[in-house]
Amino acid sequence: MDIFDPVRVGRADERTFTISIPSLEISLPCKATETVLTAIYRAGILPKLWGCRGGGCGVCKIQLHGGQVDKAPMSRDHISIEDEKRGVLLACCIKPRSDLTLDIIS
Amino acid sequence: MSITGILRSGLMQLRVLDLDKAVEHYVYRLGMDEVGRTTDGRVMLKCFDEFDHHSFVLRQADTAGMDLMGFKAESDAYLDVLEEKTKAFGLPCRFVPANSDQPGFGRRLSVDLPTGHRFDFFADVEMAEDHPELRNPDIWQKEPHGMGVSCFDHALLYGPNSKEAVRYCTEVMGMGVVEVAKLPDGNGDICTWMTSANRTHDVAILEYEQPGKLHHVGFKLEDWSQVGHAADLISIYNIGLDAGPMRHGVTRGQTIYFFDPSGNRNEVYAGGYAYYPDMPVRVWDFDQVGKGIFYYTRELNERFLSVVT
């Protein structure tokens, strides 16, 4: 299940942000209502990141370099509190609140 | 009754990252019913066709995965036999008092498997208030909802020392090996499906580096049309689909896999043959495992093999 249930969100946030992945030399559009992982998957790249999509398995790890995100809970088996503080996150558990710059870790 | 010793799997406690979303998933999507909550906030669930107090527990935690899997034994006295056999086998075990962390349950023998999983054995369980009727029974008391799962059925566990764990399951628990998948070199097994009674499996164990991992928890559906209904709900509610609808070669089950909101994999399935202890073991060569799991596409899916909680 998409962890962000659109039924519960209320009024849809219609903004679209840009995700830049410098190491891959690509930029992707990502809606405010979808996860970063969904945007990456839709672009047809890195299919191995498409794991449990609920923050449990840890296969979609990224390093956020810049930008603001909303976060859902991520398993501490894969993202420690320290990781989270320095922007190591699971792409399935974050939604953009601004343009983002990130690298893929997994 | 000719089924003795361990009767079946009958309890699973899962860790979830968001309890409310997990309850919504297991109650409204899979179709379980909430039995109640423990004093420490865990949620007890059961399926409509189960008699025992509860069969499934959700615990809010900061990791996903499983805490323990429980198996029902023929009698409370048999737990003492199991304790003796477990100690002789060489695995750590202890008794958990009745009506403690699992309300409605008698004492449990808790065993640590070398795969990093915990098995609890129990016999005495209070009958659920909402159980299948016993006199001139209708097929159900309340209309099944969601996917309409009828019982918690089995789990596939990933961990190291699987050969030793399988030996415990067969020699101490008395389980039958139903099917195996061979390692690439043909020596030894990478995965073993085992049963206590007539199900094609109560538990399967796959050799894996990291201990205590859960591949999936499986629930029973009535037939193939219910698998299609489950697939419809997965799309309608935007549930993370993993694989299917499809059939397994292993067990012949008709099935679909998806993830709960914390990333724990679920299976709902129907069919499969009935196992009897006189049946020989069915064997899958490593290069045929794709067909064994994905009987129609015959291709292994990397996510299905490697994504665990």
Side-chain angles (χ1 to χ4, degrees), chain B residues 118-133:
Chain B
R118 172 177 160 185
F119 278 3
D120 279 15
F121 302 104
F122 58 91
D124 295 339
V125 190
E126 286 174 20
M127 195 183 286
E129 278 181 32
D130 185 12
H131 61 75
E133 292 176 332

Side-chain angles (χ1 to χ4, degrees), chain A residues 1-5 8 48 50-57 59 73-78, chain B residues 17 21 24 29 62-64 213 237-242 259 261-263 303 307-309:
Chain A
M1 177 191 281
D2 187 332
I3 51 172
F4 303 95
D5 185 347
R8 291 179 162 191
K48 283 189 175 180
W50 194 246
C52 78
R53 289 154 270 166
C57 78
V59 303
M74 292 164 263
S75 169
R76 292 290 178 217
D77 274 346
H78 305 291
Chain B
L17 303 173
K21 284 186 172 159
E24 183 176 325
R29 306 298 167 244
D62 63 6
T63 61
K213 292 295 180 181
Y237 290 102
N238 199 26
I239 296 169
L241 176 67
D242 186 38
F259 295 100
S262 305
R303 177 177 68 245
V307 168
V308 292
T309 55

